Amino acid sequence: MNKVIRKEFFSENVVCLEIEAPRIAKARRAGHFVIVRVDKNGERIPLTISSSDLNKGTITLVIQRVGVTSRKLTELEPGDTIADMVGPLGQATDVKKVGTVLACGGGVGVAPLLPIVEANKKAGNKVISILAARTKELIILEEQIREFSDEVIIMTDDGSYGEKGLVTEGMEKVIARENIDEAVIIGPAIMMKFAAEVTRKYQIPSIASLNTIMVDGTGMCGACRVTVDGKTKFVCVDGPEFDAHKVDFDEMLMRLNGYKDFEKDADERYRKMHQ
Ligand code: FAD
Ligand code: FES
Ligand code: MG
């Protein structure tokens, strides 16, 4: 059991939880995630470790409410406990001093992007971040990303905040005026697919952090299977970061949509029961 010691709302649907987990706090590196089971009947979901505090023995998770399990997590209060948490999982981000890094985050992809932006800045890189979402309310962690970025560009589909347009339009503008040495792309699969096409066009080495469905997080169940460079990979143990130009995003999109109807039903039932 892991105790929640602090809760902060970053927006109506995005919550930051600080959770006691001394051993995970000690071992985690940027790019690592945990698999959380909120209660004893709960499903297991992966969440990126946003930061850690070695003195307090805590980690922070930033959770966007999108369905039943993330809803249950965002309803926890300080003093409540999480049934279990496994981690740190995945391969840590390979951060080097490369020059200028373009960090692109879409929607809740900004949560996993934050520790990577921080690590890149600390490695001595110039970091230009683009945060993109459908509308103003869905732009998250802007202040935290600003802390570790030389420049932050906000893109919204409806123009309600920052510039109107898609992440790819923001990327094109930055690439036109800056010499970008590496790009990091994290967001919905469809966004990563098109963002990777932009950097492919300009031959910019690019990393994508994949958000496939996960169950065990140990490479055994196969839920997170993806094809990278024609080979089968498991995002939980081989990733979550891969060469964005080699990921088969069409296959990933098809697999992600496989449970949509079940997820929608479960969320509707949970909301009716708790109204
Ligand atoms: P549901 O209604 O069940 O599902 C909504 C959508 O979430 C699905 O369509 C699917 O795309 C995805 N999803 C559902 N179940 C799983 C599952 N078991 N594993 C992975 N994805 C699933 N979200 C955050 O808010 N913050 C993070 O820091 C974060 N980090 C992640 C790191 C990794 C490595 C991965 C793979 C995912 C991460 N996610 C993060 C996404 C998060 O796991 C999903 O939003 C969550 O599982 C949704 O569960 P749900 O029951 O609330 O929603
Ligand atoms: Fe089961 Fe990756 S989550 S193999
Ligand atoms: Mg779910």
Side-chain angles (χ1 to χ4, degrees), residues 248-267:
D248 184 341
F249 283 110
D250 291 330
E251 180 196 55
M252 183 181 155
L253 275 159
M254 198 182 67
R255 284 175 58 79
L256 269 174
N257 285 330
Y259 302 95
K260 278 271 184 295
D261 293 343
F262 297 103
E263 288 157 358
K264 200 163 152 257
D265 272 8
D267 196 34

Side-chain angles (χ1 to χ4, degrees), residues 100-273:
T100 303
V101 175
L102 181 60
C104 310
V108 77
V110 177
L113 189 69
L114 176 61
I116 299 173
V117 164
E118 180 181 351
N120 269 291
K121 186 71 201 155
K122 287 181 174 166
N125 291 308
K126 175 176 177 184
V127 180
I128 302 176
S129 299
I130 305 180
L131 308 186
R134 267 186 290 118
T135 191
K136 184 179 179 184
E137 288 69 46
L138 300 176
I139 296 284
I140 62 165
L141 299 173
E142 182 189 342
E143 204 183 301
Q144 291 83 350
I145 291 279
R146 270 192 199 283
E147 197 182 330
F148 302 109
S149 303
D150 295 85
E151 184 184 348
V152 176
I153 295 154
I154 310 279
M155 304 291 304
T156 49
D157 294 4
D158 63 2
S160 53
Y161 190 39
E163 285 179 50
K164 186 175 188 316
L166 299 172
V167 70
T168 45
E169 295 168 62
M171 291 170 74
E172 290 275 6
K173 282 189 194 165
V174 174
I175 294 167
R177 65 167 155 86
E178 294 273 342
N179 188 15
I180 303 296
D181 297 290
E182 191 180 284
V184 183
I185 302 163
I186 314 184
I190 192 79
M191 169 247 167
M192 293 194 280
K193 174 182 165 165
F194 287 106
E197 286 314 317
V198 172
T199 59
R200 191 199 305 276
K201 194 166 69 182
Y202 298 103
Q203 296 177 350
I204 298 169
S206 301
I207 301 293
S209 179
L210 305 185
N211 51 355
T212 51
I213 289 181
M214 291 190 183
V215 181
D216 67 332
T218 63
M220 301 293 283
C221 74
C224 67
R225 178 173 62 77
V226 284
T227 305
V228 182
D229 203 16
K231 296 184 196 77
T232 294
K233 296 281 175 189
F234 297 106
V235 176
C236 65
V237 288
D238 301 318
E241 290 164 26
F242 294 96
D243 181 336
H245 298 154
K246 294 185 175 161
V247 174
D248 184 341
F249 283 110
D250 291 330
E251 180 196 55
M252 183 181 155
L253 275 159
M254 198 182 67
R255 284 175 58 79
L256 269 174
N257 285 330
Y259 302 95
K260 278 271 184 295
D261 293 343
F262 297 103
E263 288 157 358
K264 200 163 152 257
D265 272 8
D267 196 34
E268 277 166 9
R269 267 186 281 119
Y270 181 82
R271 286 160 82 160
K272 272 194 195 132
M273 274 165 63

